[in-house]
Amino acid sequence: DMREQYRVPLLILGPNIKPGVDKTLSSQIDLIPTIIDLAGWKNSRYASLGMSIAEEREQRSIIFGRDAMTGRIEEGGELVVRNLERIVYSEGDQTKIPMTETRLKAQVQTLLDAWQHNRLMQVNYKQ
């Protein structure tokens, strides 16, 4: 199962963090936003496509890169892996795969555009 290849345990200890197991769909890019959120650093500045695991969200998904491919796993179970030209692998409800692919392509395009135009984070320098 391709999903199992991306199942990485995470242990977070700290004050005001209740013990328990959280099965929230998340990835490594969600780690820093989660730490920032749990630490209460409200005015912190960090550019990421990741989202805090502690933040309630209606729908969660993760994006990953592997070899010359990108992939997306959605909480509903849909999984799409594609190269630059086409889907090379998919799982889940096949009626939802086209929308999952569209969201994957949009995320990749957003990231590439931000890198190309240096827009990952707005920085205001004081002179």
Side-chain angles (χ1 to χ4, degrees):
D1 183 1
M2 188 171 279
R3 286 176 193 80
E4 290 299 318
Q5 296 175 23
Y6 296 98
R7 193 173 302 272
V8 180
L10 170 66
L11 176 65
I12 299 176
L13 301 172
N16 302 320
I17 297 176
K18 295 178 184 175
V21 176
D22 186 338
K23 302 232 180 214
T24 301
L25 182 64
S26 57
S27 71
Q28 288 89 342
I29 66 171
D30 299 322
L31 183 59
I32 299 297
T34 300
I35 291 170
I36 289 170
D37 191 21
L38 293 175
W41 300 333
K42 301 293 180 207
N43 296 322
S44 64
R45 297 174 50 129
Y46 179 77
S48 174
L49 289 179
M51 299 292 202
S52 171
I53 299 167
E55 179 183 318
E56 292 294 324
R57 301 198 45 90
E58 191 171 311
Q59 181 183 15
R60 290 203 169 265
S61 65
I62 62 169
I63 187 171
F64 60 90
R66 181 179 186 156
D67 301 322
M69 298 177 289
T70 56
R72 180 180 171 100
I73 301 173
E74 296 194 346
E75 203 163 39
E78 290 72 41
L79 179 146
V80 170
V81 180
R82 63 172 288 123
N83 60 21
L84 290 174
E85 297 153 6
R86 61 183 172 80
I87 293 178
V88 294
Y89 182 78
S90 69
E91 289 180 14
D93 183 343
Q94 294 300 304
T95 63
K96 295 181 179 179
I97 294 301
M99 186 53 72
T100 301
E101 179 188 21
T102 298
R103 286 192 280 266
L104 171 61
K105 289 193 293 188
Q107 265 186 303
V108 171
Q109 182 61 45
T110 298
L111 181 58
L112 293 176
D113 185 63
W115 276 340
Q116 182 178 10
H117 296 101
N118 198 22
R119 292 186 190 144
L120 284 174
M121 185 170 76
Q122 180 73 27
V123 178
N124 297 320
Y125 293 103
K126 293 183 180 180
Q127 296 193 17

